[in-house]
Amino acid sequence: MADLRVDFAGIKAPNPFWLASAPPTDKEYNVVRAFRAGWGGVVWKTLGEDPPIVNVSSRYGAVTYNGARVAGFSNIELITDRPLAVNLREIKAVKRDWPDRALVVSLMVPCEEESWRRILPLVEDTGADGIELNFGCPHGMSERGMGSAVGQVPDYVEMVTRWCKQHTRMPVIVKLTPNITDIRAPARAAKRGGADAVSLINTIQSIVAVDLDAMAPEPVVGGQGSHGGYCGPAVKPIALRMVAEIARDPETSGLPISGIGGISTWRDAAEFIALGAGSVQVCTAAMHHGFRIVDDMIAGLANWMDEKSHGVIEDFSGRAVRNFVNWEALDLNYKTVARIDQALCIKCGLCHIACEDTSHQAIAYEQSEAGRRFSVIDAECVGCNLCYHVCPVENCITMVEEVSGKPKLTWKHHPNNPMREAAE
Amino acid sequence: MSGDAFLSEEPDIASHRRDEAALVCDFADAHKPLSPDAALVEASRCYFCFDAPCTAACPTGIDVPGFIRGIATGNLKGAALKILEENIFGGSCARVCPTEILCERACVRTAQEERPVAIGALQRRATDWLMARNLQPFTAAPASGRRIAVIGAGPAGLACAHRLARFGHRVEIFEARAKPGGLNEYGIAAYKLPDDFAEREIDFILGIGHIAIATEKALGRDLSLASLRRDYDAVFLALGQAGVNALGIEETPLAGVEDAVSFIARLRQSKDKGSLPIGRRVVVIGGGNTAIDAATQARLLGAEEVSIVYRRGPAQMSATGDEQAWAETHGVGIRHFAAPLRLLGAGGRVRGVVFQRTRLDANGAVVLDRGEFTLPADQVFKAVGQRFVLPETEGFPVVKGGRIVVDAKRRTTIAGVYAGGDCIAGLDLTVRAVEDGKIAAEAIHADLSEAKEHAHG
Ligand SMILES: Cc1cc2nc3c(=O)[nH]c(=O)nc-3n(C[C@H](O)[C@H](O)[C@H](O)COP(=O)(O)OP(=O)(O)OC[C@H]3O[C@@H](n4cnc5c(N)ncnc54)[C@H](O)[C@@H]3O)c2cc1C
Ligand SMILES: Cc1cc2nc3c(=O)[nH]c(=O)nc-3n(C[C@H](O)[C@H](O)[C@H](O)COP(=O)(O)O)c2cc1C
Ligand code: SF4
Ligand code: SF4
Ligand code: SF4
């Protein structure tokens, strides 16, 4: 059986599945329930200075796609709305009772050294395993000069990280906002400031929907709405790419990454880990289904690792990073064509209409006594995969390699490239 | 069966065999409507197929993926319009169509996972939505000055009338019975079209205007085809099948023996179902829809033993597999391979039926060489098929094989006379009757327009 234990920037946990700093980790009550359910660690809901902030009602919006609820999720909540002392007392109690789990405390205080100097010893006193700097919250807090307002300025990221490293012995994880053009800049800044790790992504600035009766963005608060932070399954592709960019950046290579964004299953987690994450954090999936989802995450990951003969997480962590290249490094002589398994085909015609209307007219449609038939015209197929994605039947369309026998040819050396480099 | 003792017993036919509450419950909707949430989930199962096979399998060619997408996106009005545009009886078809041999059989999900998209139930969701809002989506074109006579106010006649009204033609419907609706009103099982749905649907259809219905006016009895042809620009015959087939054996009249269709009509028309007397032991002879509906409803009324007896096998029954299963789950026994030989009576009242066991020969013909058996019965329903009755009027179009002969546009052999529905050859289903009415209306409109052009030219 695979060993799921992780040592993330010196923080040990029985498995890589942590709950992200959010409502699921706001109180002792929730966190204890999470640990009972089997979560390897939590990042406590972000603490700030007293007096606590005040939240609005309502707070969440969501995207239902084709009947699937919470395909995307958006919130306009702020950091914890409970007094600092209450949170600290509960953190201490939880850490005492659950010494084997990772307990990281998320922090957001004004961008002044004194504020950080004041709060860090209080956190350290709880026995927590580390801190996570919330530079990511895209709403409410950023307008007060905190959260993503800091995260969007690499110099601030570096400065605050440095203060924290000076005033605490705890590992410092810097949580990055995706609301920035080049995610590598704040990651590099964090590293320069001495960060032990980064975590990403925080939520994406968004308007999740417009209430067409109220004529206001959702969630509607007294007839008006604000922009919120978008997360959930819909943001996973964005998060994966940002994690991978940091993982392959020579300047930050080796910096531990905690992957966050749309993780709902063990497979999602495995993908983040393959692209360089050392642990993963989950929020929306838990808010959607409750803590019990971690069961299948743990068992699923372990079973897959057994199947692939990965004994420990490090065995596959970052393994996909070297295959994440820029487009111009791809082989233009590599070719696939679509193959339809006629025995599986249910004749829905989706492949045909997709290719016919929007791609390469490479799927023929015939009607005869024998019924409908859809077949690929090999000579027209460019191997774009569109039909493969729209076909509703598992394994009915496969993309098979057409061996050209030609050597690898990239854009760099392609005759059509006016700026091509001569072949070596 | 111990001897012939039952012959000397009094027939046991009684009303109120079951209590009122149970009857109300069982004669209500056979299938509950989908809740809005369930409809969304079901709608999302539709793949939105290209050149969709379900549409091809619908006799009225409803754009199934199109209307289902409307349900999925919350555009229920658009969904209902898509349905009604092709099939003005979309509401009753959603309830009575044997979808398992039509659209749902063709659904690609049937091939994929043996569970089609519930097209009928979704169609009901959309049409109910519209009807509940009393929306009248269709308007008649400005009056054309043309008048068309429609004979028979069943689905075929009404569908034709509605389409003609949309073209601006004035329609007069002549109906032999006291109420319009045809078999929707007098034939379809009570739990398929419960309460006053058939009536409400007709009100909805007539809401377009331009259509008048004269009831208790029969072609042959009160009207002649010649006078109709003289007084109207066109005539559409939608006569259905007013007669029933005989058992083909000697039938001495016995009390307790009845045509299944009359029993069903009485049942449909009675508000207090419990007041209908029903036998303790009921035998239904036949293998179609009518047999299934008569037998199932006899059970619901409280008959203890109900048997359908059919002379061939399950595969040859015109009732679909789902319908046979429906009867069986209601406790109806289906006995195949037996043909009636004679009715047994005592004191002028039926006591049983003697059947001959049958088998099919290599050509599928019934062979009677397997001996006999007797089923005791307090009541016997005959359901061996309906048939078209030729109205007694001169100059009627050609009839072949017991049905009016028409071309693809539903034109009969007489100019200006069209026909459709159960009185012409084809599947005897509501949805087919609607399509015939639609095609005939298009043809009448086209033929009249053409005639007008010629007149001008
Ligand atoms: C018991 C039973 C159950 C059925 N169940 C189903 C089902 O579940 N699903 C389904 O799709 N189909 C079912 N059908 C078939 C369906 O009802 C018919 O196919 C459909 O009603 C045919 O429509 P129509 O307009 O051609 O005829 P009808 O509905 O029969 O209408 C014909 C009308 O013409 C009138 N008429 C007849 N002669 C004259 C005359 N000389 N002058 C004036 N008016 C006249 C009649 O009174 C009647 O109102 C069932 C049929 C029966 C008998
Ligand atoms: C296959 C593909 C190719 C695209 N190519 C371009 C492009 O060449 N130029 C461009 O401005 N946007 C391009 N886009 C982006 C689209 O214009 C659009 O902005 C994007 O898909 C978001 O819209 P949607 O998800 O609602 O379809 C492309 C999108 C797709 C899916
Ligand atoms: S891979 Fe692309 S081009 Fe080829 S058949 Fe499929 S959709 Fe058409
Ligand atoms: S999309 Fe798939 S199932 Fe549908 S016709 Fe094409 S190959 Fe067949
Ligand atoms: S065949 Fe089935 S899945 Fe395809 S469009 Fe029709 S209902 Fe939808």
Side-chain angles (χ1 to χ4, degrees):
Chain A
M1 180 82 167
D3 179 354
L4 297 188
R5 281 177 300 177
V6 290
D7 179 338
F8 181 82
I11 304 169
K12 293 185 174 56
N15 64 55
F17 301 109
W18 299 4
L19 284 163
S21 175
T25 62
D26 192 25
K27 296 191 295 294
E28 178 178 4
Y29 181 82
N30 307 73
V31 172
V32 167
R33 285 176 68 85
F35 283 163
R36 271 200 208 117
W39 290 87
V42 302
V43 182
W44 202 276
K45 171 82 180 168
T46 307
L47 311 184
E49 290 182 334
D50 283 335
I53 56 83
V54 179
N55 273 310
V56 296
S57 158
S58 53
R59 306 175 190 181
Y60 306 139
V63 171
T64 297
Y65 189 73
N66 243 5
R69 297 206 156 254
V70 200
F73 192 57
S74 170
N75 80 89
I76 54 170
E77 268 184 354
L78 307 182
I79 63 174
T80 183
D81 50 15
R82 307 187 319 146
L84 181 61
V86 174
N87 277 307
L88 292 171
R89 192 170 63 233
E90 291 184 5
I91 291 166
K92 194 168 188 169
V94 172
K95 187 64 216 180
R96 184 193 62 217
D97 296 346
W98 298 85
D100 70 320
R101 308 300 168 96
L103 202 170
V104 175
V105 176
S106 171
L107 296 174
M108 181 191 288
V109 293
C111 206
E112 293 147 12
E113 188 169 7
E114 192 42 40
S115 294
W116 292 94
R117 194 206 305 272
R118 236 186 345 256
I119 200 165
L120 287 168
L122 302 176
V123 176
E124 210 169 282
D125 182 54
T126 62
D129 299 302
I131 56 168
E132 185 181 79
L133 310 186
N134 181 352
F135 290 158
C137 187
H139 49 267
M141 303 312 292
S142 48
E143 283 120 32
R144 299 170 204 196
M146 293 179 270
S148 68
V150 177
Q152 284 164 340
V153 185
D155 288 348
Y156 292 173
V157 171
E158 180 179 344
M159 177 179 75
V160 176
T161 307
R162 184 162 290 127
W163 291 338
C164 291
K165 284 307 291 178
Q166 270 163 18
H167 299 301
T168 180
R169 295 185 312 273
M170 293 180 288
V172 174
I173 305 169
V174 174
K175 186 169 184 176
L176 303 178
T177 175
N179 300 308
I180 186 160
T181 312
D182 184 354
I183 196 67
R184 290 172 306 179
R188 289 169 182 165
K191 184 160 189 204
R192 282 196 302 274
D196 299 278
V198 290
S199 58
L200 70 161
I201 60 172
N202 208 317
T203 57
I204 302 172
Q205 282 177 344
S206 61
I207 290 178
V208 75
V210 175
D211 182 326
L212 289 177
D213 296 315
M215 275 296 164
E218 292 182 15
V220 181
V221 180
Q224 295 177 307
S226 179
H227 71 81
Y230 196 48
C231 53
V235 311
K236 184 187 128 192
I238 297 166
L240 276 177
R241 184 255 170 183
M242 289 185 163
V243 163
E245 287 293 357
I246 295 171
R248 71 169 177 162
D249 180 9
E251 283 192 40
T252 48
S253 86
L255 183 65
I257 303 171
S258 188
I260 318 169
I263 297 169
S264 311
T265 66
W266 63 266
R267 187 178 288 275
D268 297 332
E271 291 175 30
F272 273 88
I273 294 168
L275 282 175
S279 74
V280 295
Q281 299 183 28
V282 175
C283 171
T284 303
M287 291 185 74
H288 189 178
H289 301 292
F291 294 140
R292 63 211 158 111
I293 55 167
V294 76
D295 246 22
D296 186 70
M297 290 177 142
I298 291 170
L301 185 63
N303 291 336
W304 173 79
M305 285 171 64
D306 287 346
E307 200 184 304
K308 297 282 178 188
S309 306
H310 299 313
V312 292
I313 300 276
E314 290 78 60
D315 286 352
F316 73 100
S317 168
R319 282 273 285 271
V321 175
R322 64 171 168 269
N323 291 325
F324 174 41
V325 296
N326 287 344
W327 186 89
E328 61 268 17
L330 298 175
D331 181 4
L332 295 167
N333 278 338
Y334 176 79
K335 180 146 186 346
T336 61
V337 290
R339 275 277 161 283
I340 295 176
D341 182 339
Q342 294 294 342
L344 290 177
C345 173
I346 59 170
K347 329 281 182 216
C348 68
L350 293 181
C351 56
H352 165 77
I353 198 62
C355 189
E356 190 71 13
D357 278 355
T358 73
S359 205
H360 295 83
Q361 297 76 47
I363 296 184
Y365 171 35
E366 297 145 286
Q367 276 175 299
S368 68
E369 290 292 291
R372 293 147 65 86
R373 188 185 155 89
F374 297 91
S375 51
V376 177
I377 307 164
D378 285 5
E380 300 298 329
C381 175
V382 301
C384 72
N385 284 21
L386 178 61
C387 56
Y388 165 85
H389 290 294
V390 302
C391 176
V393 181
E394 200 74 28
N395 301 324
C396 176
I397 298 186
T398 39
M399 303 303 300
V400 294
E401 181 175 355
E402 239 188 13
V403 183
S404 66
K406 294 182 204 155
K408 180 169 178 173
L409 174 64
T410 67
W411 180 243
K412 263 192 209 156
H413 303 108
H414 195 279
N416 287 16
N417 181 356
M419 288 168 324
R420 71 181 167 278
E421 294 170 13
E424 299 98 63
Chain B
M1 226 50 62
S2 63
D4 289 349
F6 66 90
L7 278 173
S8 54
E9 283 168 18
E10 279 293 297
D12 182 353
I13 301 186
S15 48
H16 299 294
R17 285 188 186 272
R18 301 179 65 212
D19 67 60
E20 185 62 27
L23 282 179
V24 168
C25 171
D26 284 349
F27 278 97
D29 245 337
H31 302 284
K32 294 273 164 289
L34 290 178
S35 70
D37 275 357
L40 273 181
V41 171
E42 193 57 24
S44 71
R45 293 185 63 235
C46 172
Y47 291 135
F48 200 59
C49 294
F50 163 73
D51 194 7
C54 50
T55 293
C58 170
T60 55
I62 291 174
D63 175 1
V64 174
F67 93 71
I68 293 179
R69 197 171 177 81
I71 294 177
T73 67
N75 175 15
L76 283 144
K77 184 175 179 182
L81 275 176
K82 269 210 154 72
I83 295 162
L84 297 168
E85 178 61 44
E86 296 301 343
N87 181 341
I88 194 64
F89 277 91
S92 49
C93 283
R95 292 163 165 83
V96 310
C97 273
T99 51
E100 70 276 14
I101 59 163
L102 301 170
C103 54
E104 291 181 15
R105 181 170 66 184
C107 176
V108 300
R109 285 247 189 210
T110 302
Q112 187 183 20
E113 49 175 352
E114 288 171 17
R115 190 163 80 84
V117 173
I119 300 169
L122 288 170
Q123 178 169 322
R124 175 167 175 185
R125 163 85 181 123
T127 50
D128 279 1
W129 184 93
L130 189 101
M131 284 179 66
R133 275 154 193 81
N134 274 323
L135 293 176
Q136 178 50 251
F138 298 105
T139 49
S144 66
R146 303 289 192 162
R147 290 167 69 232
I148 289 119
V150 169
I151 319 303
L158 285 163
C160 180
H162 187 266
R163 177 92 18 167
L164 288 169
R166 286 180 66 187
F167 288 128
H169 307 309
R170 167 120 214 121
V171 185
E172 271 153 60
I173 307 184
F174 299 97
E175 165 57 51
R177 297 234 201 196
K179 279 195 209 174
L183 290 174
N184 268 12
E185 182 60 46
Y186 292 98
I188 303 280
Y191 43 72
K192 287 193 191 170
L193 287 182
D195 54 63
D196 61 345
F197 181 82
E199 218 175 304
R200 281 190 285 128
E201 190 175 45
I202 292 175
D203 289 345
F204 167 76
I205 292 169
L206 297 182
I208 190 168
H210 287 267
I211 305 172
I213 304 184
T215 51
E216 300 184 84
K217 286 271 178 293
L219 174 64
R221 189 183 67 201
D222 312 303
L223 306 153
S224 74
L225 190 55
S227 65
L228 291 170
R229 289 186 63 203
R230 187 186 61 227
D231 299 341
Y232 294 88
D233 293 295
V235 180
F236 178 58
L237 301 172
L239 304 166
Q241 304 185 100
V244 289
N245 291 331
L247 289 179
I249 55 172
E250 198 184 328
E251 288 187 47
T252 34
L254 288 172
V257 180
E258 190 182 1
D259 287 323
V261 285
S262 343
F263 162 64
I264 291 169
R266 276 196 291 129
L267 187 67
R268 278 221 52 136
Q269 295 305 311
S270 77
K271 287 257 175 297
D272 173 15
K273 309 265 185 251
S275 67
L276 250 78
I278 191 77
R280 185 168 66 83
R281 290 176 295 199
V282 175
V283 169
V284 181
I285 303 169
N289 243 341
T290 309
I292 297 285
D293 289 354
T296 306
Q297 294 184 102
R299 274 287 297 159
L300 293 182
L301 287 176
E304 224 171 80
E305 282 170 32
V306 179
S307 312
I308 290 177
V309 186
Y310 177 57
R311 61 195 184 124
R312 300 169 201 261
Q316 286 81 32
M317 282 181 96
S318 67
T320 66
D322 280 18
E323 282 162 340
Q324 296 176 43
W326 169 258
E328 283 172 331
T329 54
H330 283 82
V332 172
I334 303 184
R335 294 192 68 145
H336 298 105
F337 298 109
L341 178 63
R342 76 185 165 268
L343 300 169
L344 298 177
R349 300 198 287 183
V350 74
R351 297 306 301 122
V353 187
V354 181
F355 289 94
Q356 282 177 295
R357 294 194 185 87
T358 69
R359 66 183 171 87
L360 300 183
D361 70 11
N363 302 320
V366 173
V367 183
L368 310 161
D369 60 0
R370 302 245 147 152
E372 301 174 5
F373 65 92
T374 301
L375 287 183
D378 301 303
Q379 210 172 8
V380 173
F381 294 125
K382 298 180 289 180
V384 292
Q386 288 82 247
R387 68 191 167 79
F388 168 64
V389 179
L390 197 64
E392 291 183 15
T393 184
E394 286 191 8
F396 201 79
V398 172
V399 171
K400 216 168 98 189
R403 313 265 186 138
I404 302 172
V405 175
V406 293
D407 67 8
K409 303 249 190 244
R410 309 305 187 259
R411 298 187 190 102
T412 67
T413 49
I414 295 182
V417 180
Y418 305 73
D422 284 0
C423 64
I424 68 168
L427 275 179
D428 291 338
L429 294 175
T430 308
V431 64
R432 196 281 302 235
V434 173
E435 180 66 2
D436 284 347
K438 198 171 105 189
I439 292 174
E442 299 282 348
I444 291 170
H445 178 65
D447 292 348
L448 290 179
S449 311
E450 205 172 287
K452 192 169 158 192
E453 262 165 43
H454 283 299
H456 281 252

